Amino acid sequence: SSELTQDPAVSVALGQTVRITCQGDSLRSYYASWYQQKPGQAPLLVIYGKNNRPSGIPDRFSGSSSGNTASLTITGAQAEDEAVYYCKYRDSSGYHWVFAGGTKLTVL
Amino acid sequence: EVQLVESGGGLVQPGGSLRLSCAASGFTFSSYWMHWVRQAPGKGLVWVSRINSDGSITRYADSVKGRFSISRDNAKNTLYLQMNSLRAEDTAVYYCARARGDYGDYEVAFWGQGTLVTVSS
């Protein structure tokens, strides 16, 4: 199975926009999905497919993809958005799902 | 309300076996792909295995293939993970999770709270 890479940590000022990226060859074939995980909690799906938000996810969360890079953008970051964000994708076989290493987002 | 409640975790010696269960409620269990995902203490998420709605299709991460077995009992609304030949590196919280939509191999959208498996002598 192939691998995806994410920056280990990113910070953003309160109310500003931040982009979290995920890179890997499999992203040329499959959309990534994005999960938010806060300490002591189970993960939460925030973006899937081309740019879809599950019910209850604020519209400040959006997704995009270009070439081998998928991005999660938070427009107007809030304090409650501080969390680890994981990119998930299918490998080239389509059989295996893989989570990237996660990006810890700090809201300053 | 979708509820997933894992059980069966605990302390086991290297080389031992353990069976995890996940009791599902609040939805038509037999219509959804189900998954196991694990997270070692302080580490990231790792997909372990998934199974389709009728149990005829199973998939495994390379790290557990041949040692772990996923199954389901749709009459009991329960998902299982049989773990054999356990290693220290299998130590993790194991989450049961449900696909976003029915019948399709969709993203995981609902998670249980997890059960801790510790492999140590």
Side-chain angles (χ1 to χ4, degrees):
Chain A
S1 57
S2 54
E3 293 187 0
L4 290 186
T5 55
Q6 287 185 250
D7 290 332
V10 170
S11 61
V12 61
L14 184 67
Q16 296 303 300
T17 297
V18 62
R19 176 175 291 181
I20 298 170
T21 61
C22 188
Q23 287 188 302
D25 287 342
S26 290
L27 295 175
R28 299 183 187 277
S29 305
Y30 297 103
Y31 288 115
S33 48
W34 292 91
Y35 293 83
Q36 175 195 73
Q37 188 179 33
K38 297 179 180 179
Q41 296 185 16
L44 175 70
L45 178 65
V46 295
I47 291 290
Y48 65 93
K50 189 174 183 179
N51 180 19
N52 300 294
R53 284 176 288 106
S55 174
I57 301 301
D59 61 6
R60 63 179 179 272
F61 289 89
S62 62
S64 62
S65 185
S66 177
N68 72 337
T69 301
S71 300
L72 172 70
T73 300
I74 307 173
T75 304
Q78 302 299 303
E80 61 264 32
D81 299 334
E82 189 162 287
V84 178
Y85 290 85
Y86 294 93
C87 160
K88 189 197 68 63
Y89 72 107
R90 294 175 189 267
D91 73 358
S92 55
S93 73
Y95 289 160
H96 301 101
W97 290 25
V98 183
F99 288 93
T103 296
K104 179 174 174 53
L105 175 66
T106 300
V107 180
L108 303 171
Chain B
E1 180 190 3
V2 174
Q3 287 203 328
L4 300 169
V5 180
E6 302 93 338
S7 61
L11 176 64
V12 61
Q13 292 188 339
S17 297
L18 211 55
R19 188 174 85 154
L20 305 183
S21 299
C22 171
S25 61
F27 64 101
T28 305
F29 180 73
S30 60
S31 297
Y32 290 85
W33 284 69
M34 297 293 296
H35 298 246
W36 289 100
V37 177
R38 70 185 183 186
Q39 186 169 35
K43 301 297 184 182
L45 301 171
V46 176
W47 173 77
V48 173
S49 182
R50 70 185 190 276
I51 186 169
N52 73 332
S53 56
D54 67 6
S56 61
I57 300 172
T58 58
R59 301 286 185 241
Y60 299 92
D62 290 344
S63 59
V64 306
K65 194 169 186 178
R67 299 188 299 124
F68 289 13
S69 177
I70 190 172
S71 62
R72 63 192 299 160
D73 185 333
N74 286 343
K76 295 183 177 179
N77 291 343
T78 303
L79 176 72
Y80 302 101
L81 185 68
Q82 177 67 44
M83 304 185 295
N84 299 328
S85 303
L86 283 161
R87 307 165 180 167
E89 54 265 35
D90 295 318
T91 294
V93 172
Y94 284 74
Y95 292 102
C96 163
R98 195 205 85 176
R100 171 176 55 81
D102 57 358
Y103 295 110
D105 190 11
Y106 300 119
E107 300 78 7
V108 166
F110 296 93
W111 302 67
Q113 284 306 302
T115 186
L116 177 62
V117 172
T118 303
V119 184
S120 176
S121 55

